[in-house]
Amino acid sequence: MMNQPINSPQFFLTAPSDCPYLEGQSERKVFTHLVGEKASELNDLLTQGGFRRSQNIAYRPACETCRACVSVRILASEFKPTRSMRRNISVNADLIAAEYHAEPSSEQFKLFRRYLDSRHQSGGMADMSIGDYAMMVEDSHVDSRIIEYRVRTEGDGLQEHPAGELLAVALTDRMSDGLSMVYSFYNPDVTARSLGTYMILDHIERARMLGLPHVYMGYWVKGSRKMEYKTRFQPQEHLMAQGWQRYAP
């Protein structure tokens, strides 16, 4: 572990590796450690500057010949759902979301493995063990939360922890100006619910209720099919050379 003051973090550069989004491209990342008493403040500043968090590391692309990765944040206070999004909210009205401190569980991991085995068999997370998952959730020096989405059952309003079937999970950072969706996963067999979309809509509403202006969505890559969904949530801003700019699809 490295303990760094917020005003002088040390940054490092990874070696080149294959790009997971654009075929034939390679990627490099610049990163620093998020540890110590100022970790949350540093995470805020770096996220606003286009970084993402993974455990106690903040990173952003630093590719030599490509600038395709663009940081995206939704303007929560201005957001208005489309007709299909309102239908999604209605379809999932029987779900209950419960927010906890970032603590892993075997039930979460079982759903996580089911999601990876269905959607990301060849990705960088494909071989993650339960210990790796626990580190992903717990190894954080910032204000991180786990949000569990379950089927509502009788008596949920009377007990501390809802008991219905776990369908989706989001690992989320609460920052001074918004919520950052670090990682989310869901039951891949329940396609009619469009749970990925629902979790984003839920985060927008959570940010609005907390008086936070933004929901940070990570990176969008034009031309990458797996990233197309991110531009559906309007209005939003993209981090360009001139700073955060409103995106016009």
Side-chain angles (χ1 to χ4, degrees):
M1 292 283 185
M2 300 175 62
N3 202 344
Q4 312 162 45
I6 188 172
N7 58 349
S8 59
Q10 293 179 286
F11 290 89
F12 307 90
L13 191 64
T14 65
S17 60
D18 291 339
C19 176
Y21 304 117
L22 298 177
E23 187 175 353
Q25 295 283 352
S26 62
E27 70 167 357
R28 301 188 78 177
K29 295 186 178 79
V30 60
F31 69 94
T32 190
H33 294 79
L34 295 169
V35 295
E37 295 180 356
K38 298 292 186 179
S40 288
E41 188 177 347
L42 179 58
N43 186 48
D44 279 16
L45 292 172
L46 291 177
T47 301
Q48 292 160 11
F51 280 72
R52 294 288 288 165
R53 184 182 71 82
S54 176
Q55 296 177 224
N56 64 4
I57 297 292
Y59 68 90
R60 68 171 295 172
C63 307
E64 296 175 0
T65 60
C66 179
R67 295 293 183 270
C69 290
V70 177
S71 293
V72 174
R73 67 185 186 189
I74 301 166
L75 300 176
S77 61
E78 299 181 41
F79 175 80
K80 289 182 172 56
T82 63
R83 181 181 299 178
S84 65
M85 291 173 183
R86 292 194 298 270
R87 188 162 53 247
N88 176 279
I89 293 170
S90 177
V91 166
N92 290 293
D94 62 332
L95 298 187
I96 184 169
E99 182 177 315
Y100 307 103
H101 292 295
E103 297 180 356
S105 71
S106 57
E107 186 182 21
Q108 292 168 16
F109 177 70
K110 183 178 179 181
L111 182 62
F112 176 70
R113 280 277 14 136
R114 187 174 178 180
Y115 173 77
L116 290 183
D117 293 343
S118 174
R119 299 296 179 93
H120 301 285
Q121 293 180 353
S122 60
M125 304 172 76
D127 297 326
M128 285 180 65
S129 67
I130 190 169
D132 297 326
Y133 174 75
M135 287 291 289
M136 181 179 81
V137 174
E138 291 180 322
D139 193 7
S140 169
H141 291 251
V142 305
D143 188 3
S144 301
R145 312 294 176 93
I146 279 283
I147 304 173
E148 294 184 345
Y149 298 84
R150 296 178 180 271
V151 177
R152 189 185 301 271
T153 59
E154 185 177 354
D156 275 339
L158 304 175
Q159 56 192 12
E160 183 177 357
H161 299 286
E165 180 185 1
L166 181 65
L167 291 185
V169 175
L171 176 62
T172 302
D173 290 347
R174 184 182 293 185
M175 308 191 315
S176 62
D177 73 328
L179 300 177
S180 177
M181 298 185 70
V182 177
Y183 194 78
S184 59
F185 54 94
Y186 51 86
N187 185 329
D189 298 325
V190 190
T191 55
R193 288 184 178 271
S194 297
L195 289 165
T197 295
Y198 180 70
M199 283 190 282
I200 296 171
L201 294 171
D202 180 67
H203 277 70
I204 295 170
E205 183 59 23
R206 286 173 181 271
R208 194 200 313 265
M209 294 185 67
L210 290 166
L212 300 173
H214 305 121
V215 174
Y216 287 86
M217 294 272 288
Y219 300 116
W220 170 70
V221 178
K222 186 175 183 179
S224 172
R225 291 184 62 187
K226 65 176 68 175
M227 294 287 195
E228 287 177 352
Y229 73 93
K230 294 190 178 184
T231 56
R232 293 174 52 221
F233 300 87
Q234 298 290 332
Q236 63 181 232
E237 293 179 331
H238 290 188
L239 184 58
M240 312 304 289
Q242 304 84 359
W244 289 99
Q245 304 286 317
R246 188 176 288 248
Y247 172 73

